Amino acid sequence: MRIRSLGVIDDAVVELSPGFTAVTGETGAGKTMVVTSLGLLLGGRADPALVRIGAKSAVVEGRIGVPAGAPAAVRAEEAGAELEDGTLLISRTVSAEGRSRAHIGGRSVPVGVLSELADELVAVHGQTDQQGLLRPARQREALDRYAGGAVSGPHTKYAAAYRRLRSVATELDELTTRARERAQEADMLRFGLNEIAGVEPRAGEDVELAAEAERLGHAEALASAASVAHTALAGNPEDPEGVDATTLVAGAGRALDAVRAHDPALASLADRMGEISILLGDVAGELAGYADNLDADPLRLAAVEERRAALTGLTRKYGETGEGIAAVLAWSEESAGRLTELEGDDDRIGELTVERDALRGELSGLAQALTDARTEAAARFAEAVTEELASLAMPHARVSFAIGQTEDPEGVEVGGRTVAYGPHGADEVELLLAPHPGAPPRPIAKGASGGELSRVMLAVEVVFAGTDPVPTYLFDEVDAGVGGKAAVEIGRRLAKLAKTAQVVVVTHLPQVAAFADRQLLVEKTNDGSVTRSGVTVLEGEDRVRELSRMLAGQEDSETARAHAEELLATARADG
């Protein structure tokens, strides 16, 4: 990795050994920045406070070996990255303003892609992970991870049934608790639909009636106007001397017809005059018929106004202003559908109740399968961790799991009892530790010291390495609270783990660092920064001096040097 402008690091290159690399240095020298850098490459949260004061951004670049066809390689290629000879280049930039950018194989990608790769590439463990292991939920996750397909298979089915049951229960609860409100809504809709059905409105009827009411209300004026117009066009039989439009036009037509043979233009005008005469006759006839058919019955007008009032009442209750009876008919159609839905509540409640009971029965079976699988895996897991603790200077310690359930009358049946259940089954899983013979098993949150917890954490991870391996393991001072023989055993066990995976350990213990294949020293310059030359690969005499400093705080102490050389000799003999 190359790290620039991150925390106390100005510009440094960190070369990690294929086997076991130990990162050491004085407190505050920047050892943890190595862990932070790797965390950024793996999609960790970008904190602008990490950017070195005075710098615009922090940059971490890494070169990671990824075999072709491995899940991480496939995911990287899906994101558009290019691998060169099984090597994947990853970079992460964090600006002082908080913006973050990620690149994989030369292609810009969302930071989330880095997190997806992290699960396949590196297992990172620090003191916060130890605290996480104290929580029962994390302990259950660890057990499920160890059990593999025996738990993941039924758990997938259980999770799907659990989600469906939650959905069914929510809908059923809504239907039953709101039954009164829904009944009142149904009554209101039923009343409105009956009222509309009693009036039987037709589409467009309100417009037709408005026109008819306008006509009936002015019947006398309309009849008088039609009569005057008819007399002007066709004449008055009682006034033979009167002049009318039809007679005048007919005379004009006869005059033109008499001379039309002498000029085609005049003949055309004579034809148009004939058309006018025909049109006048048609209009005069329609005016006569209009006057005869005009209904001036006041009873009909009253009936029209009464019908319009009924339609207006419906519009005011069930329609929108300005939309008339069309809005009423639309409300009626929509409300009929809603009423059908509400009236079907009882049937729906029955259907949901049957489905809920069936799902609870299915969950009971799946929860039992999860309990059985976890119980079987717990015995193997506890035995394996106990064996690892024996090699970590805890030869008499025993680890076990307590798997139980809490009775709940509203729960599901497991093992002949009705117990509470959740999204991961009905089991309450707790990791127990008996640190020495005669000591009762107690939850590790209460029964383990800091040093014991560190070793339990390491033992758990080593067991995982045999069942669900990842290429790289990073431990950030998980040896806190450990010393003496236990520290030597931790170093020895990490070296053993490094034979099958890459192991990087940030440590302050010389007993652990002595077992490393490569030891890196992080040190500051006089101005408080870590430069490129500030991350040094220690070999020979330099490594002895650093181990002496870690042992006694004095690089030149003869006693410390002798102890350091003895540690290195012990580590080489084990290797």
Side-chain angles (χ1 to χ4, degrees):
M1 291 188 299
R2 184 178 184 185
I3 309 167
R4 287 179 288 174
S5 301
L6 184 71
V8 299
I9 298 180
D10 178 23
D11 189 345
V13 174
V14 180
E15 297 182 12
L16 304 177
S17 167
F20 180 3
T21 299
V23 182
T24 64
E26 293 278 6
T27 300
K31 300 188 299 300
T32 300
M33 286 298 106
V34 175
V35 180
T36 302
S37 299
L38 189 55
L40 288 172
L41 287 182
L42 299 176
R45 188 176 69 88
D47 185 351
L50 295 173
V51 179
R52 184 172 173 79
I53 296 175
K56 294 182 178 179
S57 61
V59 180
V60 182
E61 299 167 306
R63 177 178 297 147
I64 301 177
V66 182
V74 173
R75 181 65 187 94
E77 290 172 346
E78 289 175 352
E82 295 183 3
L83 277 74
E84 300 179 3
D85 300 326
T87 298
L88 185 62
L89 299 179
I90 300 179
S91 70
R92 182 83 180 275
T93 303
V94 181
S95 73
E97 290 78 24
R99 294 187 300 274
S100 172
R101 298 193 306 274
H103 291 79
I104 299 178
R107 179 64 62 90
S108 176
V109 297
V111 173
V113 175
L114 299 184
S115 300
E116 295 175 23
L117 296 178
D119 294 336
E120 303 291 341
L121 294 174
V122 180
V124 180
H125 295 286
Q127 295 187 54
T128 55
D129 297 277
Q130 293 184 34
Q131 297 304 313
L133 191 63
L134 298 178
R135 293 188 287 112
R138 285 289 298 275
Q139 295 167 16
R140 178 195 52 74
E141 291 172 6
L143 178 58
D144 288 355
R145 176 183 163 194
Y146 177 81
V151 166
S152 64
H155 187 277
T156 299
K157 297 177 182 177
Y158 177 94
Y162 179 81
R163 288 192 297 270
R164 177 56 187 163
L165 178 59
R166 291 289 298 272
S167 175
V168 168
T170 299
E171 185 178 354
L172 189 58
D173 183 63
E174 180 184 356
L175 288 175
T176 53
T177 57
R178 295 185 55 202
R180 182 176 180 181
E181 295 177 20
R182 297 168 77 89
Q184 291 174 343
E185 182 185 358
D187 287 344
M188 183 193 72
L189 294 175
R190 201 175 289 112
F191 176 84
L193 290 171
N194 288 337
E195 186 174 10
I196 294 172
V199 177
E200 295 183 339
R202 293 182 294 103
E205 183 181 5
D206 52 341
V207 177
E208 296 172 5
L209 290 174
E212 185 177 0
E214 184 72 14
R215 186 169 62 252
L216 291 172
H218 300 81
E220 292 185 5
L222 293 172
S224 176
S227 177
V228 171
H230 178 268
T231 299
L233 294 179
N236 186 351
E238 298 179 359
D239 184 12
E241 300 297 327
V243 179
D244 58 80
T246 300
T247 301
L248 293 175
V249 170
R254 287 193 298 273
L256 294 176
D257 283 337
V259 295
R260 62 183 300 156
H262 305 299
D263 188 349
L266 195 61
S268 176
L269 293 174
D271 291 339
R272 291 168 64 187
M273 189 63 70
E275 293 172 0
I276 292 172
S277 180
I278 293 172
L279 182 60
L280 284 174
D282 290 343
V283 172
E286 289 184 18
L287 286 171
Y290 177 85
D292 293 339
N293 294 327
L294 185 62
D295 186 0
D297 185 358
L299 295 178
R300 174 57 186 167
L301 177 60
V304 168
E305 292 296 351
E306 182 179 356
R307 179 65 177 175
R308 290 185 70 200
L311 295 179
T312 300
L314 292 180
T315 302
R316 189 164 47 247
K317 287 184 179 181
Y318 309 110
E320 294 290 338
T321 304
E323 295 186 13
I325 208 64
V328 174
L329 295 174
W331 182 92
S332 176
E333 182 178 357
E334 180 181 342
S335 297
R338 175 60 176 164
L339 181 60
T340 300
E341 178 184 334
L342 292 172
E343 289 177 338
D345 276 358
D346 291 342
D347 294 338
R348 182 59 178 160
I349 288 174
E351 294 171 0
L352 290 173
T353 301
V354 171
E355 184 178 5
R356 180 199 61 190
D357 294 342
L359 286 168
R360 287 167 68 91
E362 181 182 355
L363 282 180
S364 292
L366 292 169
Q368 183 67 63
L370 284 172
T371 298
D372 294 343
R374 284 170 177 153
T375 301
E376 188 278 331
R380 292 186 290 109
F381 191 18
E383 183 179 356
V385 173
T386 297
E387 290 179 3
E388 284 298 327
L389 288 177
S391 66
L392 293 172
M394 294 179 67
H396 304 297
R398 293 203 59 81
V399 166
S400 60
F401 277 95
I403 300 177
Q405 300 83 28
T406 300
E407 293 194 9
D408 183 350
E410 300 297 323
V412 297
E413 185 173 331
V414 177
R417 297 185 302 142
T418 303
V419 299
Y421 63 100
H424 302 289
D427 300 321
E428 297 170 359
V429 178
E430 193 159 32
L431 185 61
L432 308 178
L433 173 68
H436 53 80
R442 299 183 63 194
I444 59 172
K446 301 176 181 178
S449 65
E452 289 169 340
L453 184 59
S454 294
R455 282 176 278 177
V456 172
M457 181 69 185
L458 179 57
V460 168
E461 195 55 59
V462 170
V463 171
F464 280 145
T467 59
D468 184 22
V470 293
T472 300
Y473 292 88
L474 174 61
F475 296 94
D476 181 16
E477 296 192 12
V478 293
D479 48 18
V482 178
K485 182 180 178 181
V488 173
E489 295 302 330
I490 287 179
R492 184 174 284 123
R493 198 62 192 84
L494 289 170
K496 184 178 178 181
L497 179 60
K499 294 184 183 300
T500 57
Q502 183 183 41
V503 176
V504 181
V505 179
V506 177
T507 182
H508 66 282
L509 291 181
Q511 297 94 328
V512 172
F515 281 87
D517 299 307
R518 171 180 289 177
Q519 184 172 348
L520 300 180
L521 173 63
V522 181
E523 56 184 347
K524 295 181 181 179
T525 57
N526 291 333
D527 65 357
S529 66
V530 177
T531 63
R532 183 188 303 272
S533 60
V535 179
T536 309
V537 178
L538 298 179
E539 295 178 350
E541 180 63 24
D542 291 335
R543 188 171 185 186
V544 173
R545 285 175 57 84
E546 171 63 6
L547 290 174
S548 299
R549 181 199 64 77
M550 297 172 71
L551 281 163
Q554 300 174 359
E555 295 89 338
D556 299 323
S557 167
E558 290 299 326
T559 303
R561 287 177 58 83
H563 192 182
E565 291 172 350
E566 182 182 357
L567 279 176
L568 287 172
T570 300
R572 294 191 189 100
D574 283 359

